[in-house]
Amino acid sequence: MFEKTGIPSKEMVMGKFPSIERINKGPVAVIECYKEIPCNPCETACKFDAINIGEDINTIPAVTSDNCTGCAICLTKCPGLAIMIVDGSKSETTVLIKIPYEFLPLPKVGDTVMGLDREGRHITDVKIVGVLNPKSFDRTPIVTVEAGRKYLYDLRNIKVEAK
Ligand code: SF4
Ligand code: SF4
């Protein structure tokens, strides 16, 4: 399915997530880079030695979750919008998920919007708890959503209705 649609299988997705124990400790990057491509802005952006690509720029990035602070700089630098930050430390019932979001309009803090899975299906509604829009053309806006814990591994995007 991935080769035809670009949509990763559940197994591929799960292989990119750190343990739930690590997620519950605080924010951590999930890097959904599945293909060997010549790209490395995530690695060069990370000041904490948490992303390693190595000598061959085509290598899929490896994440050392224990080094990751969840700063999200890599998220803003990834041209493939492949990175999100997940944080299970704030609540036993919800998780915070930072996603790259390059559509307009941007949502506003306090909005409730549609939460979508990797196939674009509406799986739940999520609350917007943060919006960071760097005024620089080489940075991607970051939207932070609060979602029910059961959507941690499925939620990947949002849909904001224009008003
Ligand atoms: S979130 Fe920050 S510390 Fe973690 S991998 Fe990305 S740049 Fe490195
Ligand atoms: S910047 Fe994004 S697309 Fe490029 S290697 Fe890193 S995660 Fe993959």
Side-chain angles (χ1 to χ4, degrees):
M1 175 162 146
F2 178 72
E3 290 306 324
K4 278 190 181 168
T5 65
I7 300 168
S9 65
K10 184 90 178 182
E11 193 179 30
M12 291 168 73
V13 172
M14 294 306 287
K16 299 296 186 186
F17 273 77
S19 69
I20 191 65
E21 289 78 15
R22 172 62 190 86
I23 292 169
N24 287 342
K25 276 187 190 165
V28 62
V30 175
I31 300 193
E32 288 195 74
C33 200
Y34 296 105
K35 294 191 92 167
E36 293 184 352
I37 52 172
C39 186
N40 70 350
C42 56
E43 181 189 44
T44 56
C46 183
K47 304 298 177 215
F48 300 94
D49 200 22
I51 301 177
N52 187 266
I53 288 178
E55 295 296 312
D56 180 357
I57 195 171
N58 292 292
T59 305
I60 290 172
V63 184
T64 304
S65 298
D66 287 341
N67 288 359
C68 177
T69 64
C71 71
I73 296 298
C74 56
L75 182 160
T76 69
K77 294 289 189 180
C78 171
L81 308 184
I83 302 176
M84 58 183 186
I85 309 293
V86 297
D87 179 4
S89 68
K90 302 285 190 274
S91 162
E92 289 185 0
T93 56
T94 62
V95 286
L96 300 181
I97 303 177
K98 283 186 165 66
I99 59 169
Y101 193 76
E102 292 190 334
F103 296 102
L104 292 173
L106 282 171
K108 294 189 299 301
V109 171
D111 287 352
T112 297
V113 301
M114 287 188 259
L116 311 179
D117 69 7
R118 287 171 180 77
E119 295 184 53
R121 292 178 300 214
H122 177 199
I123 51 171
T124 184
D125 288 336
V126 294
K127 191 172 156 198
I128 304 297
V129 296
V131 178
L132 183 65
N133 184 17
K135 301 277 185 259
S136 141
F137 288 114
D138 70 338
R139 296 280 185 97
T140 296
I142 302 173
V143 172
T144 308
V145 306
E146 183 173 26
R149 267 191 180 254
K150 71 177 188 175
Y151 300 106
L152 170 62
Y153 301 109
D154 294 322
L155 192 113
R156 191 61 178 85
N157 208 341
I158 56 169
K159 182 173 181 183
V160 180
E161 310 259 42
K163 289 176 184 162

